[in-house]
Amino acid sequence: MPPPPPPASSPETRDRHKHAGGWGALKAGMSHVAKAHALLPTVKSLLRVNQPKGFDCPGCAWPEPKHTSSFEFCENGMKAVAWEASGRRVDPAFFAEHTVVHLADQTDHWLEAQGRLTHPMRYNADTDHYEPVPWEDAFTLIGEKLNALDHPDEAIFYTSGRTSNEAAFLYQLFGRMFGTNNFPDCSNMCHESSGEALGESIGIGKGTVTLEDFDHADAIFVIGQNPGTNHPRMLSELQKASKRGADIVAINPLKEAGLQAFLHPQQALPMLRNAETPIASLYVQPLVGGDLALLKGVCKLVLEAEAERPGEVLDRAFIDEHTAGIDALTRDLADEDWGTITAESGVSRETIQQVADVYLRSKRVIVCWAMGLTQHRHAVPTIQMAVNLLLLGGHMGREGAGACPVRGHSNVQGDRTMGITERPAPAFLDALEREFGFTPPTHHGHDVVAAIDAMNDGTGKVFIGMGGNFVSATPDTPNTIQAMRQCDLTVHISTKLNRSHTVTGKEALILPCLGRTEADAKPDGTPQRVTVEDSMSQVHASRGTNTPASPELRSEPAIVAGMAQATLNGRANVDWAHLVADYDRVRDHIARVIPGFDGFNDKIDIPGGFYLGNAARDRQWRTDGHKARFTV
């Protein structure tokens, strides 16, 4: 066989950035501000991002420090705020100019760059255009289509992780009063494996650390994560840890710039000197998916060190009092072959020993991870092996130590806390029944993949999306497009145009909502506020101040109330309009339904909000047997 022909041209090569932040981040952030075509509103908004009386940044779920500066935002935050404060508008004239077929031919970037949605729109299949529709007519259509279904489970209620706690609580209440637990959400596609793994191992599907723990950790392991791109404010904490001498171990197949070094764009003197801070003291590059074998190798070396120095390595008091399964894990690790570990991880035994050495000399260890761990077929056992590592040293439930899954969307954790799940806990459903006087459905509903399958096979007929971009975010986009087109009705509650709006059911609605930066008010004009929960279980208020992009915009809670009233009129003992006229009333219900939210309205008056609490952090294990579990 002849050799293949040479490439037509040589591949382009260039030096990679060796640090994140710096002048490049500042320049990129300012470019987003310039593109917004609304300089003053954007700048004013940036001064209120993550401030005690400001709004929560929609960019990510990284928590705010207790003592904020006037510039508590990053490049991603600048982009998110500028994106929302855009002076460009997608109004009825825009839709009159563009058919849906034409819009579908455009790039995702072009669609989202057109600006803010301004009016509720209804798809006209005869003309292939979206046309303006009065809000009440839109709600009536939704109610008619939902009530015409043969079974409530033919409806799908999807949620994005930017939805506020108040909107999420009302949304799940509406869906369950309608009769379904079909609540797929973006968690199904990102950290579902974290929740499963942590729930089985320590009894709660959330991380156990707070931001303050980063000030006390001796070692921080950052696995399968790129904070420089996805949550840049985390780099501030890693920078502080590095400067005080903590070990930072980065485990990632790629050399991410932010995990090598960081130049803080808001620190003037280092910027002028171009003085970056090294981040990772050890950088390990396993094979893609090799993290499980790598972590298993580290655990094996920790047990070997204990065998050599009995009583000096493991936290025996913690293990004996708080855990189960150590003997099975010990046997499994003893039987594991080093050849298999190094082959499957792609990392030499010597390098794995270096990782173990960092762990062995550290009294307080935090393990952080993101979607580099969560989106593998073996994600759950990989995360549980990271938990095993923490449990061996008692690094759970004490200062400077614990598990830290880093979430993406700014309220994805709060959505779940509010009951957005296809598998609700019986205690939650019982509390709903006591509070609202109805019997919620108890059978499990559809997650994202099951929802796509249901739409494809004709048993999912109405899709309502609270935020997000379902078509582009889900796995197998062509299959999802085909599924959405089978629906009788698709509804998207959005701030901007995106790919999902170009994929319609037989009928389709776009309902424009307020953004996080925009002012929301009660009927008397008094400002409203919503709440969010960050990655570390801190709940706080968010108050937008910008003038809404259009007087036609409604808040997410108000849109949920409008849909619910049109659908459940006469079938539910809830005055939806009364509830959303003052979100304090929604929070009063939340306080009586969801543990940890007692005194909700008073607690959010505290600057920075309140810590929701975490049973595992308190070494209370809500597992079978009431022990933290080592997992083989």
Side-chain angles (χ1 to χ4, degrees):
M1 179 180 294
S9 59
S10 298
E12 178 186 355
T13 60
R14 57 180 177 170
D15 290 336
R16 289 174 52 82
H17 290 292
K18 294 299 190 292
H19 70 257
W23 295 103
L26 194 60
K27 179 182 177 182
M30 293 307 298
S31 72
H32 295 306
V33 173
K35 292 175 184 176
H37 302 283
L39 181 61
L40 185 58
T42 302
V43 172
K44 287 173 64 178
S45 296
L46 288 172
L47 296 177
R48 296 181 61 83
V49 175
N50 297 325
Q51 300 302 314
K53 292 187 177 181
F55 61 89
D56 184 74
C57 180
C60 76
W62 189 254
E64 288 77 60
K66 287 186 176 179
H67 304 288
T68 60
S69 71
S70 298
F71 303 99
E72 190 54 47
F73 56 83
C74 64
E75 177 188 344
N76 277 4
M78 295 175 75
K79 180 180 180 180
V81 169
W83 184 90
E84 199 167 277
S86 171
R88 305 186 72 175
R89 299 289 179 262
V90 177
D91 55 17
F94 173 92
F95 285 112
E97 181 181 351
H98 301 285
T99 65
V100 171
V101 167
H102 172 75
L103 293 174
D105 285 339
Q106 308 311 307
T107 66
D108 292 71
H109 181 270
W110 185 92
L111 291 171
E112 298 198 17
Q114 300 314 298
R116 291 291 302 279
L117 295 161
T118 63
H119 290 69
M121 306 297 292
R122 179 176 182 176
Y123 179 61
N124 184 333
D126 293 334
T127 64
D128 194 38
H129 283 273
Y130 277 104
E131 298 171 354
V133 60
W135 276 105
E136 294 312 312
D137 290 356
F139 293 146
T140 298
L141 176 64
I142 293 168
E144 289 175 349
K145 291 294 183 181
L146 287 173
N147 288 325
L149 296 174
D150 293 331
H151 192 281
D153 284 341
E154 293 179 338
I156 295 164
F157 295 86
Y158 173 75
T159 324
S160 160
R162 286 186 178 179
T163 304
S164 69
N165 288 329
E166 292 73 14
F169 183 80
L170 292 175
Y171 196 52
Q172 65 79 30
L173 179 64
F174 166 36
R176 291 192 167 105
M177 283 187 164
F178 180 66
T180 187
N181 282 318
N182 286 347
F183 287 101
D185 74 325
C186 57
S187 288
N188 293 149
M189 298 177 284
C190 53
H191 272 280
E192 193 72 73
S193 50
S194 294
E196 289 292 314
L198 294 172
E200 292 177 2
S201 294
I202 61 174
I204 185 169
K206 299 181 180 182
T208 65
V209 301
T210 66
L211 196 60
E212 289 71 28
D213 286 316
F214 280 76
D215 294 331
H216 304 285
D218 299 315
I220 302 170
F221 291 75
V222 184
I223 312 176
Q225 187 181 357
N226 180 9
T229 294
N230 297 317
H231 18 260
R233 286 187 300 129
M234 181 181 179
L235 293 179
S236 299
E237 301 304 320
L238 296 180
Q239 180 190 48
K240 288 191 296 182
S242 174
K243 285 185 173 181
R244 65 176 175 77
D247 281 309
I248 298 173
V249 178
I251 299 175
N252 196 312
L254 292 177
K255 273 288 187 80
E256 304 289 359
L259 291 173
Q260 296 179 75
F262 177 52
L263 179 56
H264 202 309
Q266 295 176 12
Q267 295 177 353
L269 194 56
M271 284 283 284
L272 291 173
R273 294 177 175 175
N274 212 32
E276 62 193 39
T277 302
I279 298 298
S281 50
L282 176 62
Y283 207 121
V284 181
Q285 294 178 265
L287 294 172
V288 173
D291 312 86
L292 175 56
L294 171 60
L295 288 167
K296 199 165 189 180
V298 176
C299 289
K300 184 177 175 73
L301 289 171
V302 169
L303 288 180
E304 288 178 0
E306 171 70 12
E308 294 172 2
R309 307 192 304 276
E312 297 181 23
V313 176
L314 302 187
D315 187 336
R316 279 293 179 186
F318 172 84
I319 291 171
D320 292 343
E321 181 179 356
H322 291 285
T323 73
I326 183 65
D327 292 339
L329 179 68
T330 300
R331 289 192 299 270
D332 180 70
L333 291 174
D335 291 342
E336 191 63 81
D337 176 66
W338 272 109
T340 302
I341 290 173
T342 56
E344 292 193 4
S345 67
V347 179
S348 69
R349 182 170 176 175
E350 291 74 21
T351 300
I352 297 175
Q353 183 68 60
Q354 288 181 281
V355 177
D357 288 343
V358 172
Y359 177 89
L360 291 168
R361 64 173 174 259
S362 302
K363 295 182 178 180
R364 291 167 291 191
V365 174
I366 292 174
V367 176
C368 307
W369 68 88
M371 288 191 286
L373 284 199
T374 66
Q375 291 191 322
H376 290 291
R377 287 185 181 275
H378 48 276
V380 170
T382 302
I383 294 164
Q384 289 178 329
M385 194 58 64
V387 173
N388 287 342
L389 185 61
L390 290 168
L391 294 177
L392 288 172
H395 300 296
M396 190 75 73
R398 56 189 173 90
E399 185 181 64
C404 182
V406 182
R407 315 282 180 170
H409 286 306
S410 57
N411 197 40
V412 65
Q413 189 156 297
D415 263 15
R416 278 294 172 90
T417 301
M418 291 297 112
I420 297 293
T421 174
E422 75 281 2
R423 294 179 294 169
F428 173 75
L429 296 180
D430 290 345
L432 275 184
E433 183 169 5
R434 288 193 301 270
E435 182 70 10
F436 294 100
F438 79 107
T439 302
T442 57
H443 59 280
H444 289 179
H446 295 324
D447 60 13
V448 164
V449 173
I452 295 169
D453 289 342
M455 288 187 284
N456 257 323
D457 66 23
T459 58
K461 296 179 179 178
V462 173
F463 173 91
I464 302 175
M466 176 72 78
N469 182 356
F470 189 78
V471 164
S472 293
T474 50
D476 194 352
T477 294
N479 185 45
T480 306
I481 289 173
Q482 174 182 297
M484 295 279 282
R485 287 178 173 155
Q486 310 305 312
C487 290
D488 292 338
L489 174 67
T490 54
V491 181
H492 296 284
I493 301 163
S494 309
T495 56
K496 276 201 164 187
L497 194 65
N498 65 50
R499 176 64 53 198
S500 295
H501 303 143
T502 71
V503 181
T504 68
K506 297 178 181 68
E507 297 205 59
L509 292 167
I510 298 174
L511 304 182
C513 64
L514 292 173
R516 190 78 60 80
T517 64
E518 291 172 318
D520 187 4
K522 302 175 186 178
D524 65 3
T526 306
Q528 294 257 46
R529 56 187 175 175
V530 295
T531 59
V532 296
E533 178 188 346
D534 62 35
S535 269
M536 298 180 188
S537 301
Q538 195 77 15
V539 179
H540 57 273
S542 178
R543 309 167 182 83
T545 56
N546 285 354
T547 301
S550 164
E552 287 284 325
L553 302 186
R554 295 196 182 185
S555 70
E556 288 178 326
I559 293 172
V560 174
M563 295 190 297
Q565 183 62 40
T567 305
L568 302 173
N569 190 20
R571 290 163 35 210
N573 186 27
V574 174
D575 187 338
W576 298 93
H578 178 74
L579 270 184
V580 297
D582 186 343
Y583 302 156
D584 282 357
R585 297 164 185 161
V586 182
R587 287 186 283 270
D588 284 340
H589 284 298
I590 293 171
R592 291 189 290 268
V593 170
I594 302 177
F597 285 86
D598 52 295
F600 194 2
N601 280 308
D602 294 329
K603 287 178 178 178
I604 59 172
D605 286 331
I606 302 169
F610 65 99
Y611 181 57
L612 192 55
N614 185 291
R617 182 178 176 84
D618 296 331
R619 294 188 170 179
Q620 298 173 8
W621 318 103
R622 295 173 180 168
T623 60
D624 295 339
H626 305 290
K627 298 275 190 178
R629 294 167 55 186
F630 287 100
T631 307
V632 174

